[in-house]
Amino acid sequence: GEDVEQSLFLSVREGDSSVINCTYTDSSSTYLYWYKQEPGAGLQLLTYIFSNMDMKQDQRLTVLLNKKDKHLSLRIADTQTGDSAIYFCAEIRGAGNMLTFGGGTRLMVKP
Amino acid sequence: GAGVSQSPSNKVTEKGKDVELRCDPISGHTALYWYRQSLGQGLEFLIYFQGNSAPDKSGLPSDRFSAERTGGSVSTLTIQRTQQEDSAVYLCASSLQGQETQYFGPGTRLLVL
């Protein structure tokens, strides 16, 4: 099974905030990432957080990191229909810095 | 500037045939990664190249899979004797020196009939 876990689905109304959660297992992870994937497209980097940070804000995006609980979240403020996509969290592992991904959370934004 | 590019965008092949997938990383990026995205397995790491070092092949699922990177730039992922379970989206990513953020290409959608 996956070592990085996410809930499968989230539905919100346009204008509301969305919170997508992720748990990971490797306490030695240095960076944690959020990627967005729209239908038929590749992975678009949204944001990342270094492991010595608790929070990072980037315009409508806020990333919270709880290292004790190995919990990562992505908050999207004022969610728009264009935010509808699958969101993947990922952690860096190993000397090769390969990414280990969660299963993805499908965000649906209703007008 | 130009991002990571991959070709072909889509590939349909018959079981047992060989396929080659190509990745052009961002210019100047020394690290290159291949991942696979399939319905059953999600996103999985396949192989990693960093400069002139020996590649990390720990994610390759079988010896039918191989990859090379010529001149430290373009990479080709080869799947020999394709099977139906090889059907997936193959994603390539690159990063500046292997320690930084990975940027992904649009992927190659492979369908094995």
Side-chain angles (χ1 to χ4, degrees), chain A residues 35 37 40 45 97-99, chain B residues 35 37 56 98 101-102 109:
Chain A
Y35 284 87
Q37 187 176 40
L45 174 69
N97 297 309
M98 60 282 289
L99 292 167
Chain B
Y35 294 86
Q37 185 176 26
D56 180 341
T101 300
Q102 295 176 32
R109 284 150 190 80

Side-chain angles (χ1 to χ4, degrees), chain B:
Chain B
V4 178
S5 60
Q6 293 186 245
S7 62
S9 301
N10 296 279
K11 177 72 177 178
V12 181
T13 190
E14 294 178 348
K15 178 181 172 182
K17 295 283 180 68
D18 297 351
V19 295
E20 285 189 351
L21 312 179
R22 177 188 167 107
C23 172
D24 282 89
I26 293 172
S27 178
H29 280 194
T30 61
L32 187 148
Y33 303 78
W34 284 97
Y35 294 86
R36 178 170 72 172
Q37 185 176 26
S38 57
L39 279 177
Q41 301 298 322
L43 275 154
E44 306 171 281
F45 163 77
L46 296 177
I47 188 169
Y48 160 61
F49 296 90
Q50 169 60 291
N52 296 321
S53 302
D56 180 341
K57 305 178 184 179
S58 59
L60 294 178
S62 78
D63 58 8
R64 296 186 296 105
F65 287 72
S66 62
E68 62 178 21
R69 189 177 184 193
T70 53
S73 181
V74 171
S75 177
T76 303
L77 177 69
T78 302
I79 309 173
Q80 295 178 307
R81 305 181 302 282
T82 52
Q83 304 294 311
Q84 288 180 333
E85 61 262 29
D86 299 335
S87 296
V89 178
Y90 290 82
L91 293 163
C92 177
S94 70
S95 67
L96 190 56
Q97 290 181 356
Q99 300 293 326
E100 295 81 18
T101 300
Q102 295 176 32
Y103 295 91
F104 282 80
T108 294
R109 284 150 190 80
L110 175 66
L111 177 61
V112 182
L113 300 176

Side-chain angles (χ1 to χ4, degrees), chain A residues 44-55:
Chain A
Q44 174 195 348
L45 174 69
L46 281 181
T47 187
Y48 63 91
I49 188 167
F50 189 52
S51 58
N52 67 354
M53 299 169 65
D54 298 324
M55 185 182 83

Side-chain angles (χ1 to χ4, degrees), chain A:
Chain A
E2 291 159 344
D3 295 330
V4 181
E5 296 187 351
Q6 301 178 237
S7 53
L8 285 177
F9 186 76
L10 176 65
S11 178
V12 300
R13 292 212 172 270
E14 191 173 20
D16 288 349
S17 292
S18 307
V19 179
I20 302 171
N21 295 301
C22 172
T23 57
Y24 61 98
T25 58
D26 189 347
S27 58
S28 65
S29 294
T30 52
Y31 287 93
L32 294 132
Y33 295 85
W34 285 103
Y35 284 87
K36 175 183 179 182
Q37 187 176 40
E38 297 182 76
L43 294 171
Q44 174 195 348
L45 174 69
L46 281 181
T47 187
Y48 63 91
I49 188 167
F50 189 52
S51 58
N52 67 354
M53 299 169 65
D54 298 324
M55 185 182 83
K56 180 179 180 181
Q57 188 154 2
D58 184 0
Q59 299 183 338
R60 292 191 297 123
L61 304 178
T62 303
V63 178
L64 295 177
L65 175 61
N66 181 329
K67 285 196 71 176
K68 174 177 172 291
D69 295 336
K70 299 190 183 68
H71 183 265
L72 181 72
S73 68
L74 174 69
R75 178 178 181 269
I76 306 172
D78 187 25
T79 314
Q80 303 298 305
T81 54
D83 295 324
S84 294
I86 301 176
Y87 291 79
F88 292 92
C89 66
E91 59 176 345
I92 284 281
R93 287 204 189 158
N97 297 309
M98 60 282 289
L99 292 167
T100 298
F101 289 89
T105 298
R106 183 177 295 275
L107 174 64
M108 177 180 289
V109 183
K110 300 176 183 175

